[in-house]
Amino acid sequence: MNKILVTGGLGFIGSHTVVELQNEGFEVVIIDDLSNSSIQVLDGITSITGKKPIFEKLDLKEKSKVEAFFKKYSDIKGVIHFAASKAVGESVQEPLLYYENNISTLVYLLKELKNMQEASFIFSSSCTVYGQADELPITENAPVKMAESPYGNTKQIGEEIISDTCKVLPNLKAIALRYFNPVGSHESANIGELPIGVPQNLVPFITQTAIGIREQLSVFGDDYPTPDGTCIRDYIHVVDLAKAHVIALKRLLENKNKSNFETFNLGTGTGSSVLEVIKSFEHVSGKKLNYKIVGRREGDVISAYADTSKANIDLGWKAALSLDDAMRSAWKWEQKVRKN
């Protein structure tokens, strides 16, 4: 049984990926510093899979602790690296926090993989590497433009660091998964998106507004050059996304990769505007949402949705769940969390 390290494994995407890994028979070790997650997520994962993953509370910025971890778990075969700060708006206000947290941690992990006989590495990247793309849908060959935010820049730099490292380390194989906008939760509602403090992402803000935690949802701008004036994104169900990580990992472990460093877009291939997401939520929940159009937000691109043909063909992966599915599961999760 292959032992896999998942950093940030109690976070939103990380926890769903741990579930899918355990469902596929992998042994999982989670590292998380609990800065934007809760230890209770461990119970959620265990209740779904019937197996408790190994958990180590660790701050990846502490190099000596990362070194000690890899001495303790010398039999790790692969790493899926989620641990990072991830809010676009916050990164504009706190750039140094983002560079320290997202870059130094990656370097310390790769330094440890350097010593392994064979290492498979999956990097949690983002469509933000494309900035405001010239053509839609966005393919993996789209030029990586100057980032619109420090967060986006950390993903660009991260990919460059991995690519450079793979060129000189024949034992290292890596895939960067550039995902679009993950939403929804596991159908059991035992795990889901639970941001600490005020949500930075649209869907948890929608569900928190609907349940009465937030007074009103702000829609940032209705004067964009889009059909309804609001920004367009490619919203992908987190369970579809999690399954893609398992498929990508198997590709590396089974030596099916075409080069030591590959990139794949993960999305649905369809763009939805902010107002369309609100309508989808209202449709599946039967609730009217209190929202208000406000000014544009710094760092936001107008429109971004994926061309997923490379992932469809090379990985044999395709998003299966709809926006309505995602909104329904997100609402189910929100209601369950607030009951407890």
Side-chain angles (χ1 to χ4, degrees), residues 2 11 48 60 136 140 146 159-160 165 174 196 272 289 300:
N2 285 318
I48 295 167
L60 290 168
L136 294 169
E140 288 82 355
M146 188 168 177
E159 285 195 16
E160 287 166 8
T165 309
I196 291 170
S272 302
L289 209 62
D300 277 343

Side-chain angles (χ1 to χ4, degrees), residues 179-184 234-241 266-268 317 319 326:
Y179 17 98
F180 283 66
N181 292 63
V183 290
D234 188 338
Y235 294 92
I236 174 172
H237 199 300
V238 67
V239 172
D240 279 333
L241 192 63
L266 296 181
T268 63
W317 169 90

Side-chain angles (χ1 to χ4, degrees), residues 114-136:
K114 197 175 165 183
N115 307 320
M116 287 164 60
Q117 207 173 345
E118 252 188 279
S120 297
F121 190 80
I122 306 284
F123 180 58
S124 163
S125 192
S126 164
C127 64
T128 54
V129 301
Y130 300 116
Q132 181 58 63
D134 297 325
E135 289 179 25
L136 294 169

Side-chain angles (χ1 to χ4, degrees), residues 238-258:
V238 67
V239 172
D240 279 333
L241 192 63
K243 287 178 176 172
H245 286 76
V246 181
I247 294 167
L249 179 68
K250 285 181 177 176
R251 179 178 176 84
L252 296 180
L253 292 171
E254 293 163 10
N255 292 309
K256 290 179 180 171
N257 48 305
K258 290 178 182 171

Side-chain angles (χ1 to χ4, degrees), residues 130 137-142 159 174-178 180 244 247-248 251 256-267 269 306-319:
Y130 300 116
I138 301 167
T139 72
E140 288 82 355
N141 297 324
E159 285 195 16
I175 289 176
L177 296 175
R178 295 171 174 169
F180 283 66
I247 294 167
R251 179 178 176 84
K256 290 179 180 171
N257 48 305
K258 290 178 182 171
S259 66
N260 266 26
F261 180 61
E262 298 179 305
T263 58
F264 292 97
N265 284 341
L266 296 181
D307 181 325
T308 60
S309 14
K310 188 181 175 193
N312 301 158
I313 295 159
D314 289 4
L315 292 179
W317 169 90
K318 197 172 179 15

Side-chain angles (χ1 to χ4, degrees), residues 85-101:
S85 302
K86 63 184 176 94
V88 170
E90 184 187 51
S91 77
V92 174
Q93 304 302 321
E94 298 273 3
L96 292 179
L97 184 148
Y98 273 68
Y99 288 117
E100 181 186 27
N101 205 31

Side-chain angles (χ1 to χ4, degrees), residues 186-254:
H186 193 269
E187 62 181 4
S188 66
N190 287 338
I191 55 172
E193 188 169 12
L194 190 62
I196 291 170
V198 179
Q200 301 286 338
N201 295 333
L202 176 62
V203 173
F205 215 113
I206 284 175
T207 57
Q208 287 190 16
T209 304
I211 213 155
I213 294 169
R214 308 287 157 203
E215 195 180 322
Q216 193 174 59
L217 169 73
S218 294
V219 175
F220 297 105
D222 67 346
D223 57 349
Y224 286 98
T226 61
D228 63 20
T230 63
C231 288
I232 289 174
R233 297 289 182 270
D234 188 338
Y235 294 92
I236 174 172
H237 199 300
V238 67
V239 172
D240 279 333
L241 192 63
K243 287 178 176 172
H245 286 76
V246 181
I247 294 167
L249 179 68
K250 285 181 177 176
R251 179 178 176 84
L252 296 180
L253 292 171
E254 293 163 10

